[in-house]
């Protein structure tokens, strides 16, 4: 077993297809720890089912995968061990799932932000930065953008390191 000094949570933000997931997987592999992948996506349609299958195949057998559309905090509690690296991909899909389930967003976000500083595992969290574009035209999209922005601020505050990835290039913003 590899010794690990958990230096906290790593938060990786970027746009769609920016390279943030690949970068996060490389960070996780470099830890030498047992790797757990927490997938928050749901297969709402055939294209998403295919996308999820491709992601599973691309990761290969080095990962234990947990499909967790809603109970992210419960999954992190259940898998949290010092000899593990847990990669959560991604927060924006989790936000979508919470919105569709009409969950209490503030309570869910607070529970996650409260848990993160107490974890023993190395936690890498991936999310899409959606606040850099134009104001969305409909209320649900605006609510989504606002929820994601508030969550990102909480996670960035709790994280030891924060990266922004664009065009496959990570920019370290914190830590």
């Amino acid at each position: 077993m590899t010794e690990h000094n958990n230096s906290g949570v790593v938060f990786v933000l970027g746009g769609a297809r920016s390279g943030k997931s690949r970068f996060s997987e490389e960070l996780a592999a470099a830890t030498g720890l047992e790797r757990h992948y927490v997938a928050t996506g749901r297969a709402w349609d055939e294209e998403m089912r295919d996308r999820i299958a491709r992601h599973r195949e691309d990761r290969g057998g080095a990962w234990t995968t947990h499909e967790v559309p809603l109970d992210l905090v419960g999954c992190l509690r259940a898998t949290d061990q010092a000899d593990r690296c847990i990669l959560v991909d991604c927060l924006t899909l989790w936000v979508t799932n919470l919105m569709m389930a009409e969950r209490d967003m503030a309570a869910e976000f607070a529970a996650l932000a409260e848990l993160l500083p107490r974890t023993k595992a190395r936690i890498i969290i991936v999310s899409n930065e959606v606040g850099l574009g134009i104001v969305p035209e409909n209320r649900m999209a605006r609510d989504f953008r606002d929820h994601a922005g508030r969550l990102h601020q909480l996670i960035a505050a709790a994280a030891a390191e924060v990266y922004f990835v664009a065009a496959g290039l990570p920019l370290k913003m914190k830590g």
Side-chain angles (χ1 to χ4, degrees):
M1 179 163 57
T2 303
E3 293 230 1
H4 176 61
N5 179 10
N6 183 0
S7 60
V9 175
V10 178
F11 188 32
V12 180
L13 288 163
R17 314 279 4 123
S18 64
K20 64 190 174 297
S21 292
R22 179 183 43 78
F23 173 70
S24 298
E25 290 172 13
E26 290 170 359
L27 285 177
T31 67
L33 300 171
E34 179 183 314
R35 287 178 272 167
H36 288 253
Y37 191 96
V38 178
T40 61
R42 275 190 167 161
W44 297 104
D45 57 27
E46 191 62 34
E47 185 273 336
M48 192 62 170
R49 277 187 282 283
D50 291 343
R51 184 180 290 253
I52 289 169
R54 274 193 315 276
H55 281 278
R56 266 193 224 117
E57 185 176 312
D58 289 347
R59 281 192 306 274
W63 296 85
T64 299
T65 299
H66 310 268
E67 294 183 358
V68 184
L70 292 170
D71 191 15
L72 178 56
V73 171
C75 179
L76 290 175
R77 280 189 186 122
T79 57
D80 184 29
Q81 292 184 21
D83 64 342
R84 291 181 176 171
C85 180
I86 303 169
L87 193 158
V88 177
D89 198 352
C90 81
L91 286 186
T92 45
L93 289 174
W94 183 58
V95 168
T96 298
N97 297 336
L98 293 174
M99 287 179 71
M100 298 301 282
E102 298 182 0
R103 299 287 276 269
D104 181 340
M105 306 299 277
E108 296 280 353
F109 295 175
L112 179 59
E114 181 182 310
L115 173 68
L116 291 176
R118 298 189 329 251
T119 57
K120 298 178 288 263
R122 175 71 162 181
I123 310 284
I124 301 170
I125 300 174
V126 178
S127 197
N128 290 290
E129 176 51 65
V130 297
L132 297 174
I134 62 172
V135 175
E137 69 175 28
N138 66 72
R139 178 166 184 169
M140 185 174 190
R142 286 188 300 274
D143 286 348
F144 171 79
R145 179 211 49 203
D146 294 348
H147 288 311
R150 283 190 285 277
L151 178 58
H152 290 166
Q153 290 179 56
L154 287 171
I155 302 308
E161 297 176 40
V162 178
Y163 293 89
F164 186 82
V165 181
L169 301 172
L171 171 66
K172 192 170 195 177
M173 300 173 66
K174 179 181 175 182

